[in-house]
Amino acid sequence: METVSENRCYNGVQGVYRHASEACGCDMTFGLFLPEEATLGPVPVLWYLSGLTCTHENAMTKAGAQQWAAEQGIALVFPDTSPRGEGIADDPMYNLGTGAGFYVNATEEPWSKNYRMWDYIAEELPRVLTANFAIDAERQSICGHSMGGHGALTLAMAYPERYAAVSAFAPITHPSQSDWARKPIHAYLGEGKVDWTRHDACLSLRANGYAGPMLIDQGTGDQFIDALMPEALAAAMTEIRHPGFFRMQKGYDHSYFFISTFMEDHVAFHAEALYR
């Protein structure tokens, strides 16, 4: 594993690292913030999954999460959103290919060779982290934005014993009914072949439930709100009577100004679950 950079940050260290990924068949880069407590022993970890077009860097530099994670003694992981590099399949559309892995394991050509972001996030990167850093594998939580909110919700519901809590900013909630997400997921997995109960948070919640705490923030001024379909997730939470928090934030859009405004709430929400 290669250290790309390390910087002192809120008495901890914000690092960027690169490693050869077996899941994705290429080098992958991720950001990792370790609080000062990590010098004394393993600390809990909060995963932050980013949205379309993002790399590991967007949330790492714009979300303002390190300050709140340092106060709580929590590590933050900022994975990339897709495989990248020479020979990696891509597409001119921004919601398919580079920067748009949708946190699935692609089975269709030309994507199946490298686009295995589900396995990368759920299996490979956790092993890399615990093998190389002071991370407590028994205390994990997960958060995401937009496409990353979709990934956080579906992963949390698939591994309910692993993640202490899940939260999301403006998540893609119902991809089976939203062209924005349905078309790329069909490209990766094949039309008519998608297990939507695994890759649609609304359907997964109805079919399998979710025992952990959930926090959703959605801006009413979000330019993508029709494609995100927040009302579908609110309805699913209501139908199964899930004791979560769904907050419509007046006037906020889809940007990192929105995310940074409410990041303190989300980190505190996860800290409560991780230390409970």
Side-chain angles (χ1 to χ4, degrees), residues 44-210:
V45 60
L46 173 58
W47 294 79
Y48 182 95
L49 305 187
S50 291
L52 287 167
T53 76
C54 290
T55 69
H56 69 280
E57 189 175 20
N58 296 73
M60 187 180 79
T61 59
K62 295 180 180 181
Q66 292 90 340
Q67 175 182 354
W68 313 119
E71 287 189 5
Q72 301 286 356
I74 293 172
L76 296 168
V77 184
F78 305 100
D80 204 344
T81 56
S82 77
R84 299 174 189 270
E86 186 177 351
I88 304 296
D90 198 5
D91 189 273
M93 293 297 293
Y94 75 97
N95 63 341
L96 180 64
T98 301
F102 271 92
Y103 305 100
V104 301
N105 286 336
T107 56
E108 302 294 300
E109 296 294 338
W111 314 106
S112 57
K113 180 180 178 181
N114 304 106
Y115 284 76
R116 302 187 60 81
M117 291 301 294
W118 181 283
D119 281 354
Y120 179 68
I121 298 297
E123 303 298 338
E124 184 177 22
L125 190 52
R127 291 196 298 267
V128 171
L129 293 176
T130 54
N132 292 279
F133 303 97
I135 298 294
D136 185 350
E138 299 302 314
R139 290 189 292 171
Q140 300 185 53
S141 206
I142 193 164
C143 174
H145 170 231
S146 194
M147 177 186 72
H150 146 77
L153 289 167
T154 54
L155 282 160
M157 292 174 193
Y159 301 97
E161 301 303 318
R162 177 181 303 181
Y163 301 109
V166 61
S167 74
F169 300 91
I172 298 173
T173 69
H174 203 13
S176 65
Q177 301 301 313
S178 171
D179 284 347
W180 201 26
R182 183 173 63 236
K183 290 181 178 179
I185 292 176
H186 277 163
Y188 292 136
L189 300 177
E191 190 166 356
K193 301 178 182 178
V194 183
D195 179 3
W196 285 115
T197 58
R198 185 176 180 86
H199 297 300
D200 184 308
C202 292
L203 299 181
S204 182
L205 189 60
R206 285 190 175 96
N208 306 314
Y210 177 67

Side-chain angles (χ1 to χ4, degrees), residues 225-245:
I225 195 167
D226 290 340
L228 299 169
M229 301 180 68
E231 67 283 353
L233 183 59
M237 292 172 69
T238 302
E239 286 176 23
I240 71 162
R241 300 178 180 177
H242 186 276
F245 302 95

